Amino acid sequence: MRLSLLAASVLGLASLSPAMATDSAETPAAAYSMNVTYSGSVLIFRVANVQVSGRIGDGSYGANARFTTAGLAALFSDADIEASISGYADDQLQPWRYEHFNHSSGSGRVVGIDFPDGVATADVNPPFGSMGEPPASEEQRVGAVDPISALLRLGLRQSSDPGELCSGRIPVFDGKARYDLRLNVVGSNTIRTGAYRGEAVRCHAFYEPIAGYDPEDQPSESDIAEPVVLWLAPFAEGDIHLPVRIRTNSGFGAITVEARAISVEPVAE
């Protein structure tokens, strides 16, 4: 489960995480495109690779990302996840279509989410055998967003505590499970990666399950108690914040994902 949450964190926050330099929670007026490369490791062993491209501006946003496990991690969780998101980018990000596909699963299942009238609605083919015990109700899915949009909203300061970076809660629906991300800032650190050197905000994201879990998939107490840690750094003169490092625990050790290359460019009107 924590590897899945790590994948969501990387695919989401790496895709496009614009954050205003002011206290506003609105989407930046300028349009940007970006390309980001991440790699994850346990000690000296590489366990994950991520490639991301995306764009935000002119009233819309979209991103494509691919997360693959490698080496040690592939022994525990074989994943080759391709994800995409598109939506509106006005005062608040509002997704209209999310989709992901695990090329390694063997099921050929495409997990999609639509958002009619603001209700996150699963569109899964072939369907899951179970939608959880109990499944997420329509009431619980009202206002929830997909994992990528949730983490974009984090960067845009569009949580239940608008205007604050990494604060409050964000409701998430991943096509089956409904959970909240509870966010806390715990200071800042000097970070050095292949893509960034400088100060970064240290953000803790706690996973809080709501509904849509089968008994064998219910997160453990340790999953809930220990956060995914993200270090968010400013780019494009402060208009955009991106994660330059992400850290979480797994069944085979602490995983650290770092940005190896980041390109953020304004889009000419």
Side-chain angles (χ1 to χ4, degrees):
M1 192 285 297
R2 295 193 67 81
L3 189 62
S4 298
L5 184 55
L6 175 66
S9 300
V10 175
L11 293 178
L13 271 172
S15 298
L16 281 173
S17 300
M20 299 302 292
T22 68
D23 289 336
S24 172
E26 296 182 357
T27 304
Y32 291 95
S33 65
M34 65 184 65
N35 290 279
V36 188
T37 300
Y38 290 87
S39 65
S41 62
V42 174
L43 299 176
I44 63 172
F45 301 102
R46 181 165 293 188
V47 297
N49 298 293
V50 183
Q51 295 286 334
V52 182
S53 62
R55 184 183 186 281
I56 186 167
D58 301 323
S60 66
Y61 70 102
N64 295 284
R66 194 155 190 168
F67 174 98
T68 57
T69 53
L72 182 65
L75 299 176
F76 295 84
S77 178
D78 188 15
D80 181 358
I81 301 170
E82 194 167 2
S84 64
I85 179 62
S86 55
Y88 303 101
D90 295 318
D91 291 343
Q92 180 169 291
L93 295 187
Q94 179 56 52
W96 70 67
R97 178 66 180 180
Y98 167 85
E99 200 168 273
H100 82 248
F101 176 72
N102 188 347
H103 294 269
S104 300
S105 70
S107 68
R109 177 175 291 119
V110 176
V111 178
I113 308 174
D114 295 310
F115 299 86
D117 299 319
V119 181
T121 304
D123 176 25
V124 182
N125 292 294
F128 293 120
S130 166
M131 290 297 288
E133 299 179 12
S137 67
E138 180 174 330
E139 182 178 2
Q140 290 169 328
R141 291 182 279 110
V142 171
V145 297
D146 62 275
I148 291 181
S149 296
L151 293 161
L152 299 179
R153 282 189 175 186
L154 185 163
L156 268 170
R157 310 178 189 189
Q158 293 179 357
S159 67
S160 61
D161 191 5
E164 299 294 330
L165 182 62
C166 186
S167 180
R169 294 173 181 267
I170 300 176
V172 186
F173 179 65
D174 69 3
K176 180 179 178 179
R178 167 70 177 86
Y179 59 91
D180 281 352
L181 289 180
R182 178 169 55 86
L183 309 168
N184 291 311
V185 169
V186 290
S188 63
N189 300 108
T190 300
I191 299 296
R192 292 186 178 185
T193 76
Y196 178 81
R197 292 188 178 186
E199 288 296 304
V201 173
R202 180 168 176 160
C203 175
H204 283 189
F206 291 89
Y207 183 92
E208 297 188 345
I210 304 295
Y213 298 87
D214 294 315
E216 65 271 19
D217 297 325
Q218 187 71 28
S220 67
E221 291 186 6
S222 62
D223 290 328
I224 298 169
E226 191 165 354
V228 173
V229 184
L230 309 109
W231 284 266
L232 306 174
F235 290 85
E237 298 182 349
D239 279 351
I240 297 174
H241 276 67
L242 296 171
V244 291
R245 180 177 292 162
I246 302 172
R247 184 172 293 161
T248 189
N249 287 326
S250 69
F252 45 85
I255 301 175
T256 299
V257 176
E258 292 190 341
R260 299 302 183 189
I262 295 177
S263 171
V264 180
E265 302 291 341
V267 176
E269 297 183 0

